Amino acid sequence: MLSNFYTSNDSLAIKRKKQIDTLKVFNANVSEITEDSEYKVEFESGTNQLSLIIILKPEFPMEKPILKVVPLIKHHWIGEGGDITGAPGLLNFTEHSDLGRVVRAIVREFELRPPQIINGTSPPSINRVDTNNYTYSSTPPGTAPAFMNYRDYGTTIPSHPQPKSITFPELNTLSKSDLELLNADIDRLDEFVTSLPAIKELNRSIEERMVENEELAKENLLKEPQLVKLKEIYQEKLVTLGQLKSRHETLSAEYQRLADRYSPQSIREQIKLAVIKSDEESE
């Protein structure tokens, strides 16, 4: 983990720079809005183009970053004002976390599960960082508060409603009364579901798999006599192997006995004893 390189002797500026580096390493389409304090990551979420705004406070990484998504979306991680408050990596963020990994996990969540765009609402205002004295102000002095425009971050607002159902587009052609009838009549609902192209394709695929399984079962049954015969041969070979092993152990023991008896050392001892005995008899 990149944060393992951090040491207690690092200055806040060095830690801050390393965190910003991880943001660029783990994420694509990273652009700098305000040097050292505000960045933007653009990504696609379904059919929508979203931007994740990263605001680094003066004490970052000792303090958590502020993360916002534009345009406004509906998601259980999003709190009031469009701030991301429920992301696990952000909740547990410390100076030893990797900003790049945290942002990447959030982007990945929105890519895999595209959230709903909240139409007809203004995007959250983004507090800007004064890099000279590290103070925050939502609006310049002497001006009225203003909301950030979506165009500021290169995002677009969908101009047409999204389909009600992508998985079953046939439902989009039914009126509310038709849907209520289907919901109230189980038989009619079953008939409608069965007529859907996706369900027909699923049933066809199931039937094909069933036919394939039956063919495999028949082939397995035809091979059963052969398998039984092979099992018998295997058992016979196991018995033969046991007999050969026993004979091998017997022959090995006999070989060791003869090897000890006729070893050079043993022969020398026998000759020495024979010489001594011969000398004694000659005296």
Side-chain angles (χ1 to χ4, degrees), residues 274-283:
V275 169
I276 294 173
K277 183 178 180 181
S278 177
D279 290 343
E280 291 176 350
E281 291 177 352
S282 63
E283 292 177 355

Side-chain angles (χ1 to χ4, degrees), residues 252-267:
S252 294
E254 179 66 14
Y255 167 80
Q256 188 63 43
R257 185 183 68 80
L258 294 174
D260 293 341
R261 180 178 179 181
Y262 296 106
S263 66
Q265 180 66 26
S266 178
I267 293 174

Side-chain angles (χ1 to χ4, degrees), residues 54-224:
I54 302 101
I55 300 176
L56 308 180
K57 298 180 180 180
E59 296 302 319
F60 175 84
M62 309 304 293
E63 295 183 8
K64 298 179 181 180
I66 298 175
L67 303 181
K68 296 175 180 286
V69 177
V70 290
L72 290 178
I73 60 174
K74 184 177 181 181
H75 192 276
H76 61 279
W77 285 359
I78 305 299
E80 295 182 0
D83 288 5
I84 297 177
T85 57
L90 189 60
L91 290 173
N92 302 319
F93 191 90
T94 68
E95 62 175 305
H96 302 294
S97 302
D98 286 337
L99 176 63
R101 292 181 185 271
V102 172
V103 170
R104 180 57 192 155
I106 294 173
V107 171
R108 188 63 176 161
E109 164 69 16
F110 295 151
E111 288 177 339
L112 293 177
R113 286 169 281 276
Q116 177 184 351
I117 301 294
I118 301 178
N119 295 321
T121 59
S122 299
S125 59
I126 304 290
N127 290 337
R128 301 292 180 176
V129 179
D130 186 342
T131 56
N132 294 324
N133 55 19
Y134 288 103
T135 58
Y136 286 78
S137 61
S138 58
T139 57
T143 61
F147 288 100
M148 179 185 64
N149 193 290
Y150 288 125
R151 297 186 181 88
D152 293 343
Y153 292 96
T155 57
T156 58
I157 304 175
S159 58
H160 56 83
Q162 298 297 318
K164 296 178 182 179
S165 175
I166 298 177
T167 306
F168 300 108
E170 294 81 6
L171 293 174
N172 300 331
T173 62
L174 300 180
S175 64
K176 182 178 179 181
S177 59
D178 292 334
L179 294 174
E180 291 175 348
L181 286 175
L182 288 176
N183 188 46
D185 191 335
I186 298 298
D187 293 335
R188 182 175 296 181
L189 178 60
D190 289 341
E191 182 180 355
F192 174 77
V193 171
T194 305
S195 67
L196 293 175
I199 301 301
K200 289 181 178 179
E201 178 64 22
L202 177 61
N203 290 333
R204 185 188 64 79
S205 179
I206 292 175
E207 291 177 358
E208 290 179 354
R209 299 292 88 76
M210 291 178 63
V211 171
E212 291 177 0
N213 289 338
E214 289 178 359
E215 294 296 329
L216 289 174
K218 291 178 181 178
E219 291 181 7
N220 290 337
L221 290 175
L222 292 175
K223 293 178 180 179
E224 184 176 4

